[in-house]
Amino acid sequence: MTRASSFLFFLLCTSALLLSPLEVSAKKRSVDGKKLSPITSKTLAERDLLDFRVKNRALLREGDRYNEDVSKHFLEGTTLAYVTPWNGKGYDWAKTFGQKWDLVSPVWFQVRRDTSIGGEHDVDAGWMGDVRRMSKNNAKIVPRFMLDGWDQEGLVTLAREPKQVLAKKIGKNIRRVIDEHKLDGYVLEILNSIGGLMPQLSDEVMRAIATIQKSVQSSGKGTPVISVLVIPPYRNQGWSFGASHFDEMERHFDYFSLMTYDYSNAYNPGPNAPLQWMYQSVTSLLQNTPEKDKEGRKRKAAKILLGLNFYGNEYTMSSRGQGRSLLSHDFLSLLQSCTSTKGDRLEYDAESAENFLVCRTNSGVTHSYYPTPRSISERVNAAKKLGTGISIWEIGQGLNSFADTL
């Protein structure tokens, strides 16, 4: 290699180090024949992205760009960001916007029926180091642990065992993984798997969950680690994780990741997370704490992480049960190809505080509910009013402009 070529190689390497992970991985998009950088100096308002009925053109041009100041953090409460191994964009987001996170949860681990832990092959120590460095050591790594392969008999045994042997083993094995991989804590997702035992075994399930947590904290090095319990949202039918369950569990866990999304589905199409339902999901957890106990309500609310979806759904309105999930690239493609029945702007449903796109396709009219910077901002403001934090499922699924709301 000549001296000139060596110098050129040095310049290329140096410039690459100065770019953010997202800037390196993102390709410049072409809009109206012009190449656009993923980074901008303009605010969301200056890019016309906070309009109630935002223009398709504004989203196509500015929706996947983010402000150059990635250090801004608009929420006082705790922010948890989920990352999935199958979505590389989320790994880049975790690093680029590291200063916006308090907790980062890669969904790496499965708790098997024999209580062993699967998924350790997904652990990426280098990436964890990058996240901590780029967050200036603010972000804590708290991977998710989820039950996998448990049949009904196993779940009943887990809940009913008098000596809680299985629950203690699960906690001990989780703690081994935490200590070996130098993690800061964990997220426990168990109620989605074990919810079928409710309400008949409600007390037993809560006891098993508390036992797992106690075992995690007392095993291994025995030093406290951050703990997060995933909980379902309010439902007016069937079993709900209510105020009595929350009051019992909040003595054991640091935070609660509230799954306030998936309100609708292909058989009942509509908004992903109506704003009033999100408010109700939080206030229902606090209803046993009197209004006059302001400090108690404030302390408990701060433990709740209001769930925000960064994905959306498209529904074919004439075909019951027909729909699909939407990620950012799907939504941008829809905006480009859509033959809209409503002009060049998204619709805004004031009742749910969500935008949706109405398109005419060969298979019929579709309604696509996907977050916008406006709808995300409204939910961040709701968290501020409620005194909660937020949890995001998941950061690799959203438009880059969503980062400017956080």
Side-chain angles (χ1 to χ4, degrees), residues 47-209:
R47 289 139 65 195
D48 298 322
L49 291 178
L50 293 180
D51 295 346
F52 284 102
R53 291 196 61 204
V54 61
K55 289 184 178 180
N56 299 4
R57 179 182 174 84
L59 283 168
L60 282 169
R61 181 179 177 83
E62 299 290 343
D64 219 22
R65 306 175 78 199
Y66 62 92
N67 188 273
E68 60 191 0
D69 187 355
V70 296
S71 66
K72 290 181 179 178
H73 189 38
F74 300 110
L75 185 67
E76 291 182 6
T78 300
T79 298
L80 183 154
Y82 286 104
V83 180
T84 56
W86 52 87
N87 195 340
K89 181 180 175 182
Y91 280 84
D92 290 335
W93 253 65
K95 292 188 286 187
T96 298
F97 305 115
Q99 294 180 69
K100 296 179 182 288
W101 321 128
D102 299 291
L103 306 172
V104 176
S105 183
V107 294
W108 285 335
F109 302 118
Q110 307 86 44
V111 180
R112 302 189 184 110
R113 176 63 179 84
D114 63 359
T115 74
S116 65
I117 307 298
E120 289 188 70
H121 61 278
D122 282 322
V123 176
D124 188 335
W127 172 79
M128 289 194 293
D130 289 341
V131 171
R132 286 168 172 145
R133 175 177 54 81
M134 297 186 73
S135 73
K136 298 185 177 179
N137 289 321
N138 180 65
K140 307 302 181 185
I141 310 296
V142 290
R144 186 191 71 175
F145 291 76
M146 183 178 180
L147 295 189
D148 181 56
W150 288 68
D151 57 17
Q152 187 78 356
E153 181 183 358
L155 294 173
V156 170
T157 301
L158 173 62
R160 281 185 164 173
E161 270 192 322
K163 294 186 178 181
Q164 296 284 283
V165 175
L166 282 177
K168 291 175 182 176
K169 283 184 177 179
I170 290 172
K172 185 176 180 179
N173 289 338
I174 289 174
R175 184 54 186 256
R176 176 193 62 79
V177 172
I178 291 173
D179 289 346
E180 285 188 10
H181 296 286
K182 297 180 173 60
L183 307 172
D184 300 300
Y186 76 115
V187 173
L188 180 63
E189 183 167 347
I190 189 171
L191 285 169
N192 276 348
S193 301
I194 212 166
L197 304 183
M198 305 299 193
Q200 293 84 357
L201 298 180
S202 177
D203 291 342
E204 291 89 342
V205 167
M206 295 303 148
R207 184 186 63 169
I209 292 173

Side-chain angles (χ1 to χ4, degrees), residues 15 35 41 47 71-73 91 102 105 123-124 133 139 143 161 184 199 222 228 250 254 286 292 305-306 344 349 366:
S15 61
K35 294 286 186 180
S41 61
R47 289 139 65 195
S71 66
K72 290 181 179 178
H73 189 38
Y91 280 84
D102 299 291
S105 183
V123 176
D124 188 335
R133 175 177 54 81
E161 270 192 322
D184 300 300
V228 183
E250 73 94 11
D254 297 313
L286 302 174
K292 62 182 181 181
L305 307 180
L306 186 68
D344 65 344
D349 178 6
T366 63

